[in-house]
Amino acid sequence: MSVRRHIHTSGIPVLCVHCEARHRGVCGALDPDNLVGLAKTCSRRQIESGVELIGDAQAVDSYSNLLSGVVKLTKSLSDGRQQIVGLQFAPHFLGRPFKVESSINAEAVTAVTLCSFPRAAVERMMKGSPEFEHRLLKQTLNELDEAREWLVTLGRKTASEKVASFLLMIARNIDSSVDPVARSASFDLPLTRAEISDFLGITNETVSRQLTQLRADGVIRIENTRHVMVDSMSRLRSMAMPSLSQKTDSLDRL
Amino acid sequence: MSVRRHIHTSGIPVLCVHCEARHRGVCGALDPDNLVGLAKTCSRRQIESGVELIGDAQAVDSYSNLLSGVVKLTKSLSDGRQQIVGLQFAPHFLGRPFKVESSINAEAVTAVTLCSFPRAAVERMMKGSPEFEHRLLKQTLNELDEAREWLVTLGRKTASEKVASFLLMIARNIDSSVDPVARSASFDLPLTRAEISDFLGITNETVSRQLTQLRADGVIRIENTRHVMVDSMSRLRSMAMPSLSQKTDSLDRL
DNA sequence: CCAAAGCCCTGATTTCGGTCAATCAGCAAC
DNA sequence: GTTGCTGATTGACCGAAATCAGGGCTTTGG
């Protein structure tokens, strides 16, 4: 149908022409033919904050590109304790290849736009296009690096260092001024205090206290509990206690 | 030379014939031709406990298959705090593709056998053999799953749960009786108390206390500080507080 | 309007695990 | 033998963060 016929830009489906996933995501690996094939099976969806993406019927059997918004991945213990094991920002490829059942839950923490594909279509694409799998490998290696960075944070940092590290990570990912060595930054927190605490392995009370402390120290200002303005990125960085190695790391992430 | 000529087993280099990496590791992805090509460039090395693998000159520019022994990956903060972010058992492919500088250190924690390749040879192999990259993707996804499992442990478990979880993980990986639902197990700890504490984000004193507690409870016995006999795997499992999801997970790991 | 529910902040108290310190066993060097 | 070193264990004490509790603000819905 229309997806296939509207070919003006050297054979790229209209849906994909301005899509971030084609520029910075996995779809960049695909040539126009593959893109057309995949685009035929895709469906764009708007999802509101708080909706489960994996584990409910709709998405368990599909892969998606995250086109906008933020998704959290969580794991839970049987007694209710919860840990956020990943935060994903656009454009990110969602879904766990080669595994039927995942012990991980995914939930939209902001309004989210997805471009979803049937499981089978993506797996065919992976078989057919080495470059596609190559991108996936790169993304997975980056996720692994990030997870290991958080292992250090969870295992060896104090509460205040954890909160500072968290703010830096958010700033890196959703501040409008993308400069990694900026002097100041400003962004909306995608997570509630309780979610931040589940990310950092502390309680929401402790998160609250540490944010208050940072405000008292003049490092940040907060408006409407969600909007954070970092007045001194350098002080925030020093509070996050970055290792020397971490410093080099943050520069070539992304 | 000899590697190329000694072809008796349908073209497989002698070095590789009985190699675990060909059976359960990434080399299984290679056909005889590729295997011969790679084997020409490889060098087997014995490395003793305590030796740095990455960061010193010898290995920074190479990839390796871990054929025997255990390797720890660590990250450090500038003030000396350290966190183990990965433990790798044979047969595992070591090395971080697509990145010149890694902020991670690797060190042999037991005697180790490596089969090392020049960086360029492996990267050529990755380009040429999609199946090779596929295996690498699978391994990386498994590592990511494990890292996320440890995020839960570090962020949300108590000291005793951490130690119990650690023992279970070690048992899974190096117990002779590979049965995942065994009633008992027995193995040598590859890590010192201090290293275990760096793995779990606690102090070595706490590790020691938790181990004595487990001994007092009759869950384990310890000989020579390194050899652990788990008398009741079920009690150990319940002390690790596995989530329901974790249980399904441990079964299809590997 | 008021009520109820979330989310956030703050204070008081408790506790788990960290810190500091002593002791001991094993082992290598002299 | 002694000395010294490293790793493990145990105890006494302390402190950072958890727990418990109260109260404020906003939103939703009667």
Side-chain angles (χ1 to χ4, degrees):
Chain A
M1 54 157 294
S2 72
V3 171
R4 184 167 220 160
R5 293 294 85 192
H6 283 216
I7 298 175
H8 299 116
T9 323
S10 63
I12 293 167
V14 278
L15 251 183
C16 307
V17 171
H18 295 107
C19 181
E20 275 300 298
R22 228 189 80 250
H23 296 122
R24 301 190 294 131
V26 288
C27 289
L30 303 174
D31 57 34
D33 277 357
N34 281 328
L35 211 51
V36 167
L38 203 55
K40 274 196 298 186
T41 71
C42 89
S43 66
R44 284 212 185 193
R45 300 183 287 146
Q46 294 283 339
I47 288 177
E48 59 190 355
S49 171
V51 176
E52 286 276 336
L53 301 184
I54 299 183
D56 83 2
Q58 71 179 80
V60 77
D61 204 43
S62 70
Y63 293 92
S64 303
N65 273 313
L66 175 58
L67 301 183
S68 72
V70 181
V71 169
K72 70 171 175 183
L73 306 181
T74 64
K75 287 174 83 84
S76 301
L77 299 179
S78 47
D79 61 359
R81 281 175 285 176
Q82 203 170 48
Q83 177 68 43
I84 295 184
V85 298
L87 266 193
Q88 329 218 273
F89 304 86
H92 196 99
F93 187 73
L94 301 174
R96 174 63 165 88
F98 322 128
K99 207 170 185 185
V100 270
E101 187 175 358
S102 169
S103 61
I104 295 182
N105 288 46
E107 181 183 327
V109 290
T110 66
V112 151
T113 316
L114 292 186
C115 179
S116 301
F117 313 94
R119 198 168 188 87
V122 172
E123 280 167 3
R124 219 178 311 122
M125 197 59 57
M126 282 194 296
K127 282 219 169 60
S129 167
E131 175 63 15
F132 187 84
E133 206 163 22
H134 183 75
R135 295 263 182 144
L136 216 47
L137 176 56
K138 271 194 175 170
Q139 173 182 296
T140 308
L141 284 166
N142 278 333
E143 281 184 80
L144 184 56
D145 280 346
E146 278 167 40
R148 287 175 167 166
E149 196 60 54
W150 286 109
L151 284 175
V152 179
T153 302
L154 292 190
R156 286 307 184 195
K157 289 189 186 174
T158 66
S160 64
E161 289 164 352
K162 285 180 179 181
V163 172
S165 303
F166 173 77
L167 292 179
L168 281 178
M169 187 274 282
I170 296 296
R172 258 210 321 271
N173 280 287
I174 55 181
D175 184 8
S176 37
S177 68
V178 200
D179 184 7
V181 269
R183 309 191 57 78
S184 65
S186 164
F187 49 86
D188 280 329
L189 291 173
L191 304 181
T192 68
R193 303 292 188 268
E195 286 172 324
I196 296 173
S197 73
D198 281 343
F199 192 96
L200 297 175
I202 55 183
T203 61
N204 53 8
E205 291 95 329
T206 299
V207 172
S208 197
R209 280 186 251 269
Q210 295 303 332
L211 287 175
T212 310
Q213 188 59 47
L214 284 172
R215 217 168 346 131
D217 293 347
V219 179
I220 63 172
R221 280 167 296 144
I222 301 183
E223 274 174 5
N224 300 323
T225 74
R226 284 292 190 126
H227 191 73
V228 175
M229 286 151 293
V230 183
D231 290 321
S232 170
M233 285 293 272
S234 59
R235 288 183 63 194
L236 191 59
R237 284 199 197 90
S238 70
M239 301 193 71
M241 274 239 115
S243 67
L244 296 176
S245 39
Q246 222 174 326
K247 214 184 301 171
T248 73
D249 212 31
S250 64
L251 290 177
D252 53 6
R253 158 125 44 262
L254 271 214
Chain B
M1 54 158 297
S2 72
V3 171
R4 184 167 222 162
R5 292 294 85 195
H6 283 215
I7 297 175
H8 301 116
T9 323
S10 63
I12 294 168
V14 277
L15 251 182
C16 307
V17 172
H18 295 106
C19 180
E20 276 300 297
R22 229 189 79 247
H23 297 123
R24 303 191 291 130
V26 288
C27 288
L30 303 174
D31 56 34
D33 276 357
N34 281 328
L35 212 50
V36 167
L38 204 54
K40 273 195 300 184
T41 70
C42 88
S43 66
R44 284 211 184 192
R45 297 184 289 146
Q46 294 283 340
I47 288 177
E48 58 190 356
S49 170
V51 176
E52 287 275 334
L53 301 184
I54 300 182
D56 82 5
Q58 71 178 86
V60 76
D61 203 43
S62 71
Y63 294 92
S64 302
N65 274 312
L66 175 57
L67 301 184
S68 73
V70 181
V71 168
K72 71 171 176 184
L73 306 180
T74 63
K75 286 174 81 84
S76 302
L77 300 178
S78 48
D79 60 359
R81 282 176 285 178
Q82 200 170 51
Q83 177 69 42
I84 295 184
V85 298
L87 266 194
Q88 333 220 269
F89 303 88
H92 195 101
F93 187 73
L94 302 174
R96 174 66 166 85
F98 321 129
K99 209 172 185 183
V100 270
E101 187 173 1
S102 169
S103 61
I104 295 182
N105 288 45
E107 181 183 327
V109 291
T110 67
V112 151
T113 316
L114 292 187
C115 179
S116 302
F117 313 94
R119 198 169 189 88
V122 172
E123 279 167 3
R124 221 179 308 123
M125 198 59 57
M126 283 195 297
K127 282 217 169 63
S129 166
E131 176 63 16
F132 187 84
E133 206 161 23
H134 183 75
R135 296 265 181 138
L136 216 47
L137 176 56
K138 271 194 174 172
Q139 173 182 296
T140 307
L141 285 165
N142 278 333
E143 281 184 80
L144 184 57
D145 280 346
E146 278 166 40
R148 286 173 169 165
E149 197 60 53
W150 287 109
L151 283 175
V152 180
T153 302
L154 291 190
R156 286 306 184 197
K157 289 188 185 174
T158 66
S160 65
E161 290 165 351
K162 284 180 180 181
V163 171
S165 303
F166 173 77
L167 292 179
L168 281 178
M169 187 274 282
I170 296 297
R172 258 210 323 270
N173 281 287
I174 54 181
D175 184 7
S176 37
S177 68
V178 199
D179 184 7
V181 269
R183 307 190 58 77
S184 65
S186 165
F187 49 86
D188 280 330
L189 291 173
L191 304 181
T192 68
R193 303 291 187 269
E195 286 171 325
I196 297 174
S197 73
D198 280 344
F199 192 96
L200 297 175
I202 55 184
T203 61
N204 53 6
E205 291 96 330
T206 299
V207 171
S208 195
R209 280 187 253 269
Q210 296 304 332
L211 286 176
T212 30
Q213 187 59 46
L214 284 172
R215 218 165 349 130
D217 293 347
V219 179
I220 62 172
R221 280 168 296 143
I222 302 183
E223 275 173 5
N224 299 326
T225 74
R226 284 293 189 124
H227 191 73
V228 175
M229 286 151 293
V230 183
D231 291 322
S232 170
M233 285 293 273
S234 59
R235 289 183 62 196
L236 191 60
R237 284 200 197 88
S238 69
M239 300 193 72
M241 275 241 114
S243 68
L244 297 175
S245 40
Q246 226 175 321
K247 214 184 302 171
T248 72
D249 210 31
S250 64
L251 290 178
D252 50 9
R253 161 126 42 263
L254 274 215

